Amino acid sequence: MDFISKLGKDLVSLVYPKQCIGCNSQKGENTNIYCITCNSKIGYTDHFEIKNNELIKRISPRINPQHGAALFEYIKEGLVQKAIHGLKYSGRFDLGNNLGKTFGRSYILSPHFSKADYIIPIPIHNSKRRKRGYNQSYEFAKGIFDVTDIPILEKVLVKKSKTTTQTKKGRTDRFDQVLGSFSLQSPEVLKGMTILIVDDVLTTGATIEAAYTLLNEIENITIQLGLIAIANN
Ligand SMILES: [Zn+2]
């Protein structure tokens, strides 16, 4: 191997470590972010196969997407938390892309998802994006795109610049707060379209429900939801 291609490969292995995100063992050329042992312990959901799954039960009757699925159950201190933490706080944007590919493969095979026209990642504040260097939901969306060829649309659902720092308690207040932090730009491009809204973790559901509520105002829109993980409240 010449110097330049060796250097390139070293850089790639720096950016995409061959270590398992769960236990740090060497996982070889395995494309999954987990080694085989960790992967067998992870709580993959049945959301792609089951119509009335846990995610749908959690968000209905407030919102009614065509279908929705989270890849994993999020357990505190668990293996999935390590991946989410790496993605959000340790600069491991590659994890988002990798998990997006995993999501995309199940999405294609799911009898409950029709193929969307666009993927809409949940936006984050510019200040957060600058600090993190990327939007984790966009990285997840890119992985889904890699497998499904569904284009990503970032410009319609946008995050307003920070206006308030007050924190209120309770579902409704949180929902109103998130709803007020989003706005739509040129929403007419989504008329009659099917969209897949994607985010990292569903906890209270306020973010997804606010994004859905805003986008659902668009004429003849069909909305699907995609998440990396769903947390048990
Ligand atoms: Zn492992």
Side-chain angles (χ1 to χ4, degrees):
M1 197 184 296
D2 65 49
F3 176 72
I4 295 296
S5 54
K6 167 111 175 46
L7 185 69
K9 195 139 193 281
D10 286 348
L11 285 173
V12 168
S13 63
L14 268 180
V15 178
Y16 301 100
K18 291 190 178 68
Q19 273 185 343
C20 169
I21 191 72
C23 68
N24 297 327
S25 72
Q26 293 291 318
K27 61 180 178 57
E29 299 296 326
N30 180 1
T31 55
N32 196 305
I33 63 169
Y34 295 103
C35 68
I36 293 166
T37 311
C38 287
N39 197 47
S40 69
K41 293 182 198 159
I42 286 175
Y44 282 95
T45 69
D46 56 8
H47 294 180
F48 294 92
E49 297 86 41
I50 308 291
K51 181 76 190 153
N52 191 27
N53 61 44
E54 284 307 313
L55 169 62
I56 298 297
K57 284 181 197 164
R58 180 89 67 88
I59 58 179
S60 66
R62 293 181 300 277
I63 62 170
N64 293 291
Q66 185 213 37
H67 192 55
L71 260 184
F72 305 120
E73 286 167 26
Y74 183 92
I75 296 160
K76 229 178 161 197
E77 312 296 328
L79 293 166
V80 173
Q81 188 189 23
K82 289 191 179 177
I84 299 288
H85 197 275
L87 172 63
K88 289 178 80 169
Y89 308 112
S90 306
R92 290 288 308 273
F93 62 89
D94 59 299
L95 296 172
N97 190 270
N98 198 305
L99 292 169
K101 285 180 182 157
T102 307
F103 184 98
R105 284 188 285 269
S106 295
Y107 177 90
I108 288 172
L109 296 174
S110 171
H112 306 299
F113 280 117
S114 62
K115 193 175 175 183
D117 299 296
Y118 291 107
I119 306 170
I120 312 272
I122 294 287
I124 58 174
H125 280 298
N126 278 336
S127 57
K128 215 175 233 182
R129 193 190 182 120
R130 270 195 299 274
K131 201 173 161 205
R132 193 172 288 157
Y134 54 88
N135 171 0
Q136 71 278 6
S137 298
Y138 180 77
E139 299 304 317
F140 180 53
K142 272 204 308 201
I144 302 174
F145 163 75
D146 284 346
V147 172
T148 63
D149 273 334
I150 302 170
I152 302 168
L153 204 57
E154 265 200 300
K155 304 282 180 229
V156 176
L157 180 67
V158 294
K159 195 93 170 168
K160 294 177 191 168
S161 49
K162 263 180 188 159
T163 49
T164 175
T165 50
Q166 59 177 323
T167 47
K168 294 180 189 170
K169 291 214 167 75
R171 166 180 284 283
T172 312
D173 290 342
R174 171 90 182 116
F175 172 83
D176 288 342
Q177 224 175 9
V178 185
L179 188 63
S181 76
F182 288 137
S183 67
L184 296 182
Q185 284 178 7
S186 309
E188 61 279 358
V189 299
L190 293 180
K191 252 189 215 172
M193 298 287 172
T194 298
I195 59 163
L196 171 65
I197 303 175
V198 299
D199 200 8
D200 46 25
V201 184
L202 184 127
T203 45
T204 64
T207 304
I208 281 286
E209 288 177 23
Y212 176 102
T213 303
L214 204 56
L215 287 160
N216 200 38
E217 294 294 315
I218 298 168
E219 205 180 318
N220 289 325
I221 196 164
T222 302
I223 303 180
Q224 308 171 337
L225 306 177
L227 293 136
I228 299 175
I230 180 169
N232 294 312
N233 292 345

